[in-house]
Amino acid sequence: MNFQLSEEQLAVRDAAREFAQSELLPGVIERDSEAKFPKAQLEKMGQLGFLGMMVDPRYNGGGMDTVSYAIAMEELSKIDASASVAMSVNNSLVCWGLEKYGTEAQKQKYLTRLASGEVLGAFCLSEPEAGSDATSQRTTAEKSGDHFIINGVKNWITNGSSASIYLVFAQTDPQKGHKGISVFIVERDWEGFVVGKKEDKLGIRGSDTHSLIFTDVKVPMENRIGEDGFGFTYAMETLNGGRIGIASQALGIAAGAYEFALAYSKERKTFGKPICEHQAIQFKLADMATQIEAARLLVYKAAWLKDQGEDYAHASAMAKLYASEVAMNVTIEAVQIHGGYGYVKEYHVERLMRDAKITQIYEGTSEIQRIIISRKILK
Ligand SMILES: Cc1cc2nc3c(=O)[nH]c(=O)nc-3n(C[C@H](O)[C@H](O)[C@H](O)COP(=O)(O)OP(=O)(O)OC[C@H]3O[C@@H](n4cnc5c(N)ncnc54)[C@H](O)[C@@H]3O)c2cc1C
């Protein structure tokens, strides 16, 4: 067992940390207040290789391991979880599946542009009545000659208005239930595709979350990924990896809040001494640091298993479940350590507390993670 990060992983950590401080920190409070997508920041992240980190360099990716990706996600999420969720969706939910299951033509046409950050991707599974129960897809894709015709509505789609390429799940054969779901690549400017309303959210307010409406959208046959009926398996496999990204995001939110709280506790004085000299604050910091370290080990283990080609489904569920709960606990304590200052925007921790909540909801709620874990335990 080796707990040491490699030279390459350390370099990724330093680059991400530097980028977060120099490019994400300025304006992050305003972007949150105004619900403004970090467009310029995402463009720079693409140029630095953060948007296709694990993709083979043949398709313009960074060819890195999943541990490096988790490290970068943690560092960027310490400051801006809205930028990091856009990165996570592009890397794990869009590029990963396209590289694994796409045809060579699909990779040349789409993956090369997604991995380089030239364009952003979106993953369109959820619907108004299909969230945790993703099998209840109402969006349909009917075969018509050498095309499919897609009709339906998708909900809560991250990168909804910023993406150019959308992976859309639809029912090709409703009789077959979840075995009749397929997945298609849809381009932004195709006729019949409309970006719907933007959600006004509690946290990750810079992330653009939209509904999407598909009315008779004509999708060429060659834009289906995998065989007919492969969509649900594709979604579940992709989400297993996606959860490593979200677990890293949760870890970063927790670590960011902890770092702000630690620094503040050394500056703020009450009763004639810095508050970090009060044992009540010390114990909070000790608990926060311990929970963060435990979450980090779960995240790294899930990422490592994936890199080894081992089964990582339950490990990524455990990492996401635990890290998201740590993100909630730690951010609440970080606000508490800041006292009244924690309750205002200027000190960052209230934003991180609001951002933390989503990590318990998307890419499978905490309840769904517990179902995945208990199924494995009871198997
Ligand atoms: C900001 C944001 C961004 C998102 N981005 C995307 C995206 O890019 N792409 C995408 O496809 N989706 C996205 N989602 C959707 C997200 O994945 C779903 O919201 C999530 O899976 C939960 O589904 P739901 O909202 O329909 O809740 P529901 O499934 O209705 O769940 C409601 C409650 O019931 C619980 N519950 C449900 N079933 C069970 C069960 N069997 N046992 C125990 N408890 C259960 C849930 O845990 C939850 O507490 C996003 C959501 C948000 C809010």
Side-chain angles (χ1 to χ4, degrees):
M1 193 172 290
N2 181 2
F3 286 98
Q4 198 111 39
L5 297 181
S6 69
E7 289 291 317
E8 193 187 37
Q9 289 160 346
L10 287 170
V12 167
R13 188 188 66 189
D14 292 347
R17 198 171 277 178
E18 153 65 20
F19 183 82
Q21 287 299 321
S22 62
E23 303 287 342
L24 295 180
L25 187 58
V28 68
I29 295 172
E30 292 72 22
R31 290 196 298 278
D32 170 73
S33 290
E34 295 159 19
K36 190 169 166 218
F37 184 72
K39 187 170 185 291
Q41 290 75 5
L42 257 302
E43 276 167 18
K44 286 189 187 158
M45 285 162 67
Q47 287 155 14
L48 289 172
F50 286 124
L51 297 184
M53 289 185 72
M54 295 167 289
V55 174
D56 191 313
R58 277 188 301 149
Y59 303 110
N60 295 336
M64 288 180 212
D65 61 4
T66 314
V67 175
S68 298
Y69 165 59
I71 291 169
M73 277 295 298
E74 176 185 344
E75 291 303 325
L76 301 175
S77 305
K78 282 180 182 177
I79 303 295
D80 191 343
S82 296
S84 74
V85 66
M87 164 176 161
S88 180
V89 166
N90 204 68
N91 274 280
S92 347
L93 297 188
V94 179
C95 288
W96 183 83
L98 253 181
E99 184 168 19
K100 182 150 190 202
Y101 295 111
T103 62
E104 187 56 30
Q106 289 169 348
K107 291 183 205 178
Q108 292 298 343
K109 187 168 180 190
Y110 297 111
L111 181 59
T112 49
R113 293 161 64 210
L114 287 158
S116 67
E118 182 194 326
V119 293
L120 268 182
F123 179 87
C124 314
L125 179 65
S126 300
E127 299 186 357
E129 287 168 84
S132 303
D133 182 7
T135 58
S136 303
Q137 296 284 308
R138 304 230 168 136
T139 299
T140 55
E142 268 180 56
K143 250 182 215 151
S144 162
D146 58 353
H147 284 79
F148 284 90
I149 305 289
I150 299 194
N151 279 290
V153 176
K154 293 291 171 181
N155 238 22
W156 313 114
I157 304 304
T158 300
N159 299 341
S161 71
S162 310
S164 302
I165 294 162
Y166 298 77
L167 302 192
V168 181
F169 294 83
Q171 199 82 53
T172 33
D173 187 350
Q175 304 299 325
K176 289 191 185 159
H178 72 276
K179 291 188 175 150
I181 296 170
S182 300
V183 55
F184 303 90
I185 307 167
V186 174
E187 295 183 28
R188 165 74 182 246
D189 53 7
W190 285 353
E191 212 180 315
F193 174 52
V194 174
V195 175
K197 90 170 159 69
K198 179 173 172 167
E199 303 296 345
D200 188 6
K201 306 189 296 292
L202 171 75
I204 56 162
R205 289 177 54 75
S207 162
D208 62 332
T209 316
H210 285 257
S211 57
L212 306 174
I213 301 123
F214 301 83
T215 312
D216 293 333
V217 178
K218 213 171 153 189
V219 180
M221 199 72 90
E222 66 262 24
N223 274 32
R224 187 184 60 202
I225 305 175
E227 295 299 309
D228 219 19
F230 178 62
F232 190 70
T233 306
Y234 179 96
M236 294 304 110
E237 279 203 24
T238 314
L239 286 166
N240 284 337
R243 286 174 190 138
I244 299 174
I246 300 307
S248 319
Q249 182 192 40
L251 169 63
I253 293 170
Y258 163 77
E259 287 173 14
F260 281 119
L262 180 64
Y264 184 81
S265 74
K266 292 177 184 169
E267 286 162 17
R268 177 71 175 171
K269 291 196 171 105
T270 65
F271 302 96
K273 55 184 178 183
I275 59 169
C276 67
E277 290 181 21
H278 299 304
Q279 197 181 50
I281 301 294
Q282 291 172 350
F283 281 12
K284 280 189 197 301
L285 290 167
D287 285 347
M288 291 156 84
T290 306
Q291 288 172 23
I292 289 166
E293 190 58 21
R296 190 175 287 120
L297 291 175
L298 281 177
V299 170
Y300 284 5
K301 183 171 177 200
W304 180 85
L305 283 170
K306 181 166 175 279
D307 288 334
Q308 304 311 305
E310 305 269 347
D311 178 11
Y312 57 93
H314 72 288
S316 68
M318 281 184 178
K320 186 195 179 261
L321 172 64
Y322 187 72
S324 62
E325 305 218 332
V326 167
M328 253 353 280
N329 295 341
V330 167
T331 53
I332 287 171
E333 290 295 53
V335 170
Q336 192 68 19
I337 289 173
H338 279 74
Y341 295 96
Y343 205 65
V344 297
K345 290 186 186 295
E346 196 183 335
Y347 286 80
H348 297 285
V349 287
E350 65 82 38
R351 182 186 73 258
L352 291 166
M353 188 183 94
R354 288 185 284 105
D355 289 348
K357 185 60 201 167
I358 190 59
T359 64
Q360 295 182 309
I361 297 174
Y362 57 20
E363 298 200 23
T365 62
S366 294
E367 291 75 19
I368 296 301
Q369 303 315 313
R370 288 188 169 93
I371 291 175
I372 296 170
I373 296 162
S374 56
R375 265 191 204 139
K376 171 80 182 177
I377 295 168
L378 296 167
K379 201 170 168 186

